[in-house]
Amino acid sequence: MSQTLEQFSDAYTRLLISSWSSSDYSERLEASPADVAREAGLEIAPEVQVTLVKPEGGEPGELADYYATFQEGLRNGRVELVVPGEPMIDMQQLTDEDLVEVAGGARACCCCPCSCCVEW
């Protein structure tokens, strides 16, 4: 039983997003971390003890490093399932110009005349 980094990343991301977006899911995760992690797609053998860890503050580590630690925990029979707090989103106001760029309304034109820059 071994997941690739990509498979682990997909399942772990699904678990984190669900935990951050649903209080019911988060409560289930705290009550039964192994079962909920398996439901999210993390491959964890039934005999592996899973402990939920919620670090306070600090920068998140590299996913590849956590993957290696997680795999080692699976081999040793004890996994620490790290679920950091919900990331803070910068809620600054976007200007009209910012919104145009986000919507794909680029103002630059190519070097040759095209239908978007030539008035007919």
Side-chain angles (χ1 to χ4, degrees):
M1 178 180 284
S2 181
Q3 289 181 297
T4 65
L5 176 57
E6 184 177 348
Q7 292 168 327
F8 175 83
S9 176
D10 289 347
Y12 185 57
T13 300
R14 193 171 22 260
L15 181 138
L16 292 178
I17 291 171
S18 296
S19 174
W20 295 332
S21 59
S22 168
S23 59
D24 289 340
Y25 188 92
S26 186
E27 289 171 9
R28 285 184 47 235
L29 182 59
E30 287 189 32
S32 185
D35 291 337
V36 175
R38 285 186 199 101
E39 289 172 16
L42 292 173
E43 292 182 4
I44 302 171
E47 66 274 5
V48 174
Q49 180 183 2
V50 179
T51 305
L52 185 65
V53 175
K54 292 187 171 187
E56 296 292 325
E59 290 295 315
E62 292 292 323
L63 181 61
D65 293 339
Y66 178 59
Y67 170 75
T69 301
F70 191 90
Q71 295 302 312
E72 183 179 333
L74 291 175
R75 288 188 295 276
N76 296 332
R78 291 178 179 245
V79 167
E80 287 190 346
L81 182 60
V82 178
V83 179
E86 186 174 352
M88 298 300 293
I89 299 173
D90 185 5
M91 300 298 285
Q92 75 179 11
Q93 293 292 334
L94 296 176
T95 66
D96 289 340
E97 188 172 297
D98 292 334
L99 292 173
V100 167
E101 289 181 25
V102 170
R107 294 186 180 149
C109 186
C110 60
C111 60
C112 61
C114 63
S115 61
C116 66
C117 15
V118 174
E119 292 182 30
W120 296 99

